[in-house]
Amino acid sequence: MKDFFLQSHTIWFLIGFALILLEFVVPGFVLVFFGIGAWVTAIVCWVFDVSINVQLFIFLISSIASLALLRRAIKKRYMDKTSPVSGGLEDEYIGQVATAVASFAAGEVGRVSFKGANWEAIATKPVKEGDRLRITGYKSIQLFVEPIL
């Protein structure tokens, strides 16, 4: 059992698992593709006995390939919601009220509180800490807001 955890395929699998879990903590939607690269490397190591140099090469190539081939399609499908479509998840955000966590200028990225979580936001007008803001749109993890007068 001890030897199982020291085998290269197990190590690559655990690295991939850690990278995919880290994606939930670090925004940007990139680490998951390196996790996929690590899992591809784990599969190759499980099937073939390859040197560390070959393992690193496979990891690099499979990570870059998955990033190049899948990122744009996945972001477009699941994360690019700039225009509201009635009846979908957009209704959960659009028109709702958020609160400014700190002051920020118009057009700059600031922080707002919405549904118990802090979000990045861009406002159409300057915002002061504590202002109530209406959500007018969103893209990925960034909200577009305007002050409620």
Side-chain angles (χ1 to χ4, degrees), residues 12 34-46 58-59 62-63 66:
W12 280 111
F34 288 95
I36 291 170
W39 281 356
V40 168
T41 307
I43 292 169
V44 170
C45 290
W46 188 42
I58 292 168
F59 171 69
S62 59
S63 296
S66 67

Side-chain angles (χ1 to χ4, degrees), residues 8-9 41-52 54-55 58:
S8 59
H9 62 84
T41 307
I43 292 169
V44 170
C45 290
W46 188 42
V47 175
F48 304 105
D49 185 25
V50 293
S51 70
I52 187 69
V54 173
Q55 291 175 33
I58 292 168

Side-chain angles (χ1 to χ4, degrees), residues 10 21 25 32 39 42 44 56 62 74 101-102 111 116 129 138 140 147:
T10 306
L21 284 180
V25 179
V32 70
W39 281 356
V44 170
L56 292 173
S62 59
I74 291 173
V101 174
R111 303 292 289 172
E129 182 178 347
Y138 71 96
S140 184

Side-chain angles (χ1 to χ4, degrees), residues 14-131:
L14 293 174
I15 289 171
F17 187 70
L19 287 169
I20 290 172
L21 284 180
L22 240 111
E23 185 64 52
F24 292 108
V25 179
V26 180
F29 198 57
V30 173
L31 293 177
V32 70
F33 299 104
F34 288 95
I36 291 170
W39 281 356
V40 168
T41 307
I43 292 169
V44 170
C45 290
W46 188 42
V47 175
F48 304 105
D49 185 25
V50 293
S51 70
I52 187 69
N53 290 335
V54 173
Q55 291 175 33
L56 292 173
F57 181 75
I58 292 168
F59 171 69
L60 180 67
I61 296 301
S62 59
S63 296
I64 292 172
S66 67
L67 182 64
L69 297 173
L70 299 174
R71 185 171 192 257
R72 182 176 294 156
I74 291 173
K75 278 189 77 166
K76 185 175 182 180
R77 172 87 169 114
Y78 294 106
M79 301 177 84
D80 191 17
K81 305 292 183 195
T82 54
S83 61
V85 176
S86 63
L89 285 176
E90 294 80 9
D91 293 336
E92 189 176 327
Y93 298 99
I94 309 301
Q96 298 294 321
V97 176
T99 306
V101 174
S103 300
F104 56 97
E108 291 186 6
V109 176
R111 303 292 289 172
V112 298
S113 176
F114 176 63
K115 291 192 174 186
N118 284 342
W119 294 70
E120 289 183 356
I122 297 179
T124 55
K125 297 179 181 173
V127 173
K128 295 180 184 149
E129 182 178 347
D131 281 357

